[in-house]
Amino acid sequence: MINSIFVMSPTGEVLIEKHYRGYVPRTCCDTFWSEVQKSSTPQEVCPVLVTPKYYLIHVQRYGMFFIANVQREVQPLLVTEFLHRVVDVFRDYFNEVSEESIKENFITVYQLMDEMMDNGIPMTTEPNVLKTMIVPPTILGRVASSMGVGDKSNVASDLPEGMLSSIWWRKKGVKYTNNEVYLDIVEEIDCSIDTNGLMVTCDVSGEVLVNCKLSGMPDLTLSFTNPAIIDEANFHPCVRLSRYERDRVMSFVPPDGKFKLASYSVCTTGQAVILPLYVKPQIHFSGNSGRVNVMVGPKSNLAGRTIEDVVITIPFTKSIASTNLSVNHGTAHFDDASKSLRWDIGKVPKDKSPCLNGTVQLAPGAETPESGPTMMVDFKIVMFSASGLKIDALTLSGEKYKPYKGVRFVTKAGKFQVRS
C-alpha cells in the first residue's frame, strides 16, 4: 500500500524517511518541492501528485509536510487519514510538532512509525495503546541518555494486555482513586459574509473530545436532545455503529485518557446557524487614499457569554504605501512586508464596540482598488454551541461507582470571512 513516508521541513529539508516496502530514494521529494515553489502558497499544492512511477500524497500541518509515496492504486483518503494520525501521535508524544521536536526525538519518531505501520498497512494508531508499547520521552530520560546512564529501552518487550481482544483500545486493570470523565464539544464555523452583512455560505463542523479517567471496563452511552442536527459523523473504533444508526446514541467502551470520540458536520439546510458576533467593515478607496472603518461587537443571542481571542486580519493590496490607523480597544499592527493588518482585540467588552478607524495611502501611480479586501476573523466562545446541539445524558453501566461528569461546549472560528 504505502511504500515510504517522508517528513519535510518548511525549507524543503527531508527530516525523516521511513521505508516499508523497499527503498525509495528521497529524490522523489524533489518533484513535490518543485510544486511547492511554483505555488504562491503551500496550501495550493494538489494533495495528490501523479508521476510516471508513483503517487505522492501529502498533508501540511504546523508548517511541515508529511508525504507518502505510493506506487499502486490506493484510496487517497485512507493515506491522508493515516498521515493525520501520524501528526496527532507526534503532537501527543512531544506536545508540539516542529522541526526541533522531531530532531530531538529521532529515535522515538522511528519507533512510533515502526509500530503504526507494518509492510505498508496501517496497524496501531491509537495513542493510548502506543504509550503502553513505547514510553513517551521525558526530560529526565533525555538527561540520562546524554550522560550515558540511560541504558533501559523505552520499548515494551510484551504486547499490552487486551491488544488481541475485541476491545484492543483499552487496557485491563485500569484503576483511579477519583473516577471522572470530561467531554468537550468543539465546533468550528466556516462562513462567508458579503458587503451587506448577509450570509453567503456557512458550514459548521464539530468534534467530541473525551478525557476518560474511569476504573475497570466502563460502558458509556452518550445521547443528544436533538441528534437530527448531526448530518455526517466519523467515529472512533470504540463506538458501536449499529447502535448509533438505530437509536442515534453513541454507545462505547472508552479508551483510557484523552481521545477523539467523533467528528461531525451539521446540516445547515433549512436551519439558521447562530453567528455569535458581527463585523461591519467600511473600506473605500478614492484617488490615492482610502478610508477604513471596522466595527466589531457581540450579538444578542450569547446570553451573557464572552467572546475571547478575537483577531481581525485585513490583507490590503500590495500597492499600499503607508497607514494611519487607530483602535479604541486592543492593539493593531501593520506588516509592511505582507501589507496585512492584524488587529488583536482579545475579549470583546460589553460596554463598548471595538472600532478600527483611519486612512491608508496608495503608492504613487498605483491603480485604485475596485473593491475592499476580504477580512479573516478568529474568535472563541466557551459554553456556546453554534449548531444548537445539546447533550441529553451521559450514562455509565458495567461498573458500580458513580463518576464525576463534566461537559463543555466551545465554538471557534474556522475560515470566517467578511467581505468589505
Side-chain angles (χ1 to χ4, degrees), residues 22-41:
Y23 175 75
V24 177
R26 63 168 59 185
T27 53
C28 69
C29 295
D30 296 342
T31 303
F32 171 79
W33 187 245
S34 63
E35 293 294 327
V36 174
Q37 293 179 318
K38 291 177 185 177
S39 306
S40 56
T41 60

Side-chain angles (χ1 to χ4, degrees), residues 317-338:
T317 177
K318 298 297 183 181
S319 58
I320 294 292
S322 62
T323 62
N324 183 17
L325 302 169
S326 61
V327 296
N328 67 346
H329 185 81
T331 59
H333 173 71
F334 180 76
D335 185 5
D336 193 59
S338 61

